[in-house]
C-alpha cells in the first residue's frame, strides 16, 4: 500500500464517519486508510465482535502525484492537519508499522485477556498497537479493557485510547 514516493497526511473527520471519508478519498484517487481494532460489543443476542477505529476521527491519506491539497467534498471532514500553509506530513514508517501491526492482529481486543490488574492513575507502556513503546496513564479500568490518556505531544497530545490488558505493561 505504501511506497517511498508516497507522502501521507491526516484528516480530522467526525467520529464514526471514518469509513465514509476513506471512501471519498479513494474515489478521488487517493490512498486512504484508518487503523481498525476488533473489540467485543454487547448486543441483544450477547457478545459479538465489532470493528472500530483505533484513532476515532482520523483518516490517513496520500494524494495522487501532483496534488497539493484536498479540494473536493469529503464526507465528515472537519479539517486537514497543516504545518503552515502545507499539509502536515505523517511519517511513512509509522504508517507501515501500523499497517503491519493491524495485519498481524495486534489490534484484536477479543484475544484472551491476561491476569495483570491495573488501577486508575497508573502509568503503562503500550506494547502492541499503533502506539507501541509509548507511555499512557490509565483513566478507567473495565473488566475486559482499560482506557488511558496517551502521553504525547503534537496532534496526539491527550488522545484517549481503549486498550486490551494484554497490549500494555506497567511502566
Amino acid at each position: 500500500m505504501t511506497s517511498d514516493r508516497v507522502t501521507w497526511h491526516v484528516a480530522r473527520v467526525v467520529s464514526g464517519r471514518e469509513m465514509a471519508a476513506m471512501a471519498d478519498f479513494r474515489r478521488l484517487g487517493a490512498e486512504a486508510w484508518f487503523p481498525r481494532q476488533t473489540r467485543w460489543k454487547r448486543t441483544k443476542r450477547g457478545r459479538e465482535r465489532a470493528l472500530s477505529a483505533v484513532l476515532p476521527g482520523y483518516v490517513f491519506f496520500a494524494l495522487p502525484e501532483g496534488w497539493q491539497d484536498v479540494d473536493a467534498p469529503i464526507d465528515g471532514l472537519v479539517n486537514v492537519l497543516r504545518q503552515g500553509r502545507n499539509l502536515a506530513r505523517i511519517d511513512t514508517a509509522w504508517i507501515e508499522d501500523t499497517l503491519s501491526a493491524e495485519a498481524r492482529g495486534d489490534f484484536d481486543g477479543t484475544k484472551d485477556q491476561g491476569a495483570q490488574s491495573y488501577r486508575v492513575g497508573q502509568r503503562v507502556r503500550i506494547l502492541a498497537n499503533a502506539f507501541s513503546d509509548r507511555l499512557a496513564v490509565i483513566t478507567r479500568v473495565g473488566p475486559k479493557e482499560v482506557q488511558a490518556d496517551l502521553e504525547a505531544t503534537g496532534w496526539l497530545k491527550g488522545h484517549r485510547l481503549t486498550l486490551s490488558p494484554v497490549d500494555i505493561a506497567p511502566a
Side-chain angles (χ1 to χ4, degrees):
M1 183 175 193
T2 65
S3 72
D4 293 336
R5 295 186 358 222
V6 173
T7 303
W8 286 91
H9 310 284
V10 63
R12 180 80 172 107
V13 300
V14 173
S15 186
R17 302 299 303 160
E18 297 88 0
M19 188 66 78
M22 183 177 72
D24 282 349
F25 276 114
R26 288 181 175 174
R27 191 170 48 255
L28 295 172
E31 288 186 54
W33 162 82
F34 66 97
R36 285 162 265 202
Q37 61 189 344
T38 307
R39 295 283 181 224
W40 290 114
K41 178 181 176 181
R42 291 178 194 247
T43 67
K44 290 179 180 179
R45 295 180 301 232
R47 267 186 353 167
E48 293 181 1
R49 287 189 167 122
L51 280 176
S52 63
V54 172
L55 295 167
Y58 293 97
V59 173
F60 300 90
F61 65 95
L63 294 172
E65 193 170 324
W67 283 34
Q68 299 299 315
D69 210 341
V70 178
D71 57 0
I74 304 293
D75 190 348
L77 182 67
V78 174
N79 62 14
V80 177
L81 273 63
R82 297 183 178 277
Q83 291 173 327
R85 294 180 184 209
N86 299 321
L87 296 176
R89 294 176 176 228
I90 303 299
D91 182 28
T92 302
W94 181 84
I95 295 287
E96 290 173 349
D97 290 347
T98 306
L99 280 165
S100 296
E102 185 179 47
R104 283 192 311 268
D106 289 352
F107 304 154
D108 186 351
T110 62
K111 297 177 190 174
D112 290 337
Q113 306 299 313
Q116 176 72 40
S117 62
Y118 296 98
R119 67 186 186 293
V120 172
Q122 183 177 1
R123 287 182 78 208
V124 293
R125 179 167 305 280
I126 301 170
L127 302 175
N129 75 17
F131 304 104
S132 184
D133 292 329
R134 291 190 183 260
L135 296 176
V137 177
I138 293 179
T139 57
R140 186 180 67 78
V141 177
K144 301 286 184 189
E145 58 192 23
V146 297
Q147 280 189 347
D149 287 341
L150 188 63
E151 290 186 359
T153 59
W155 67 278
L156 289 174
K157 183 177 181 179
H159 185 75
R160 181 156 288 169
L161 304 167
T162 300
L163 302 162
S164 169
V166 298
D167 291 340
I168 58 177

